[in-house]
């Protein structure tokens, strides 16, 4: 993941955390992952290009029917309330077609540190450890939890084939068995 995307996700967390109480959630199909994701209903995050003056930003919002709800001034990012009758996807396209806009995307709802339903998760220090000597599994799971098209090879004689998380996902290469 590139630094720009990490930075954007962190900013989204700040915007969502500041306005999370009482929000209405919606779900859309994320254009990148093709998965259903939660977003704040009727809101976008729009980043204007460096050098765009406040009047141009305001005029863009007015012309497209968006209303600035909040702003991260240093980064020219506006949280936009979209007008009734327009979808998030329609408004993203309208903003993306404006030369003053660097990007427009849904106001994604991200949850930091959701613990899996594995009762032994806390004892698996390699997945998530407070000293940060770990693989940051929960942070990775916030980005993607995998698909059936990905094959992972585990070369280990100590696998528990009948474990509920593995039993329906095991594959054996009969060429080498």
């Amino acid at each position: 993941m590139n630094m720009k995307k990490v930075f954007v996700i962190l900013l989204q967390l700040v915007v969502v955390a500041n306005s999370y109480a009482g929000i209405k959630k919606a779900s859309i199909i994320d254009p990148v992952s093709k998965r259903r994701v939660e977003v704040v209903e009727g809101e976008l995050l729009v980043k204007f290009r460096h050098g765009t003056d406040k009047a141009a930003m305001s005029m863009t919002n007015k012309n497209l029917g968006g209303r600035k709800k909040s702003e991260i001034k240093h980064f020219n990012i506006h949280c936009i309330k979209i007008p009734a009758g327009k979808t998030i996807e329609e408004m993203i396209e309208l903003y993306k077609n404006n030369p003053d806009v660097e990007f427009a995307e849904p106001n994604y709802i991200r949850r930091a540190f959701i613990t899996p339903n594995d009762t032994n998760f806390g004892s698996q220090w390699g997945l998530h450890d407070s000293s940060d000597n770990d693989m940051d599994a929960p942070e990775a799971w916030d980005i993607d939890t995998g698909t059936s098209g990905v094959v992972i090879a585990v070369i280990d004689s100590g696998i528990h084939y009948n474990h509920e998380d593995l039993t329906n996902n095991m594959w054996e290469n009969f060429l080498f068995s």
Side-chain angles (χ1 to χ4, degrees), residues 52-91:
T52 304
D53 62 35
K54 290 185 183 291
M57 291 182 223
S58 182
M59 187 58 73
T60 297
N61 290 334
K62 182 179 178 184
N63 289 342
L64 298 179
R67 182 178 52 83
K68 181 175 75 171
K69 181 178 173 185
S70 61
E71 177 181 2
I72 303 172
K73 290 181 183 178
H74 182 73
F75 299 105
N76 293 334
I77 296 178
H78 291 188
C79 180
I80 303 293
K81 186 77 176 153
I82 67 173
K86 292 283 189 179
T87 68
I88 291 172
E89 294 85 357
E90 289 171 332
M91 290 300 288

Side-chain angles (χ1 to χ4, degrees), residues 1-154:
M1 179 183 300
N2 66 33
M3 287 305 294
K4 180 180 173 185
K5 187 68 173 174
V6 170
F7 184 70
V8 170
I9 290 171
L10 290 174
L11 285 174
Q12 290 171 344
L13 286 171
V14 170
V15 172
V16 170
N18 287 336
S19 61
Y20 195 70
I23 65 165
K24 290 184 178 179
K25 295 182 248 179
S27 66
I28 63 168
I29 300 296
D30 181 61
V32 176
S33 70
K34 307 294 186 223
R35 296 181 138 170
R36 188 158 293 282
V37 294
E38 281 188 318
V39 297
V40 178
E41 184 178 296
E43 287 186 8
L44 304 178
L45 294 181
V46 176
K47 178 168 185 346
F48 288 91
R49 294 192 188 284
H50 180 72
T52 304
D53 62 35
K54 290 185 183 291
M57 291 182 223
S58 182
M59 187 58 73
T60 297
N61 290 334
K62 182 179 178 184
N63 289 342
L64 298 179
R67 182 178 52 83
K68 181 175 75 171
K69 181 178 173 185
S70 61
E71 177 181 2
I72 303 172
K73 290 181 183 178
H74 182 73
F75 299 105
N76 293 334
I77 296 178
H78 291 188
C79 180
I80 303 293
K81 186 77 176 153
I82 67 173
K86 292 283 189 179
T87 68
I88 291 172
E89 294 85 357
E90 289 171 332
M91 290 300 288
I92 286 173
E93 285 307 310
L94 289 173
Y95 273 97
K96 281 184 174 180
N97 289 328
N98 185 298
D100 289 332
V101 172
E102 186 172 324
F103 68 79
E105 61 183 43
N107 190 356
Y108 292 102
I109 296 174
R110 304 287 189 196
R111 291 179 177 82
F113 310 116
I114 294 177
T115 305
N117 62 357
D118 184 346
T119 56
N120 293 318
F121 179 76
S123 64
Q124 300 174 50
W125 64 269
L127 297 178
H128 185 68
D129 184 54
S130 60
S131 68
D132 211 26
N133 294 324
D134 60 1
M135 66 173 61
D136 291 332
E139 292 85 344
W141 294 329
D142 282 344
I143 298 166
D144 194 2
T145 56
T147 64
S148 60
V150 175
V151 176
I152 298 174
V154 177

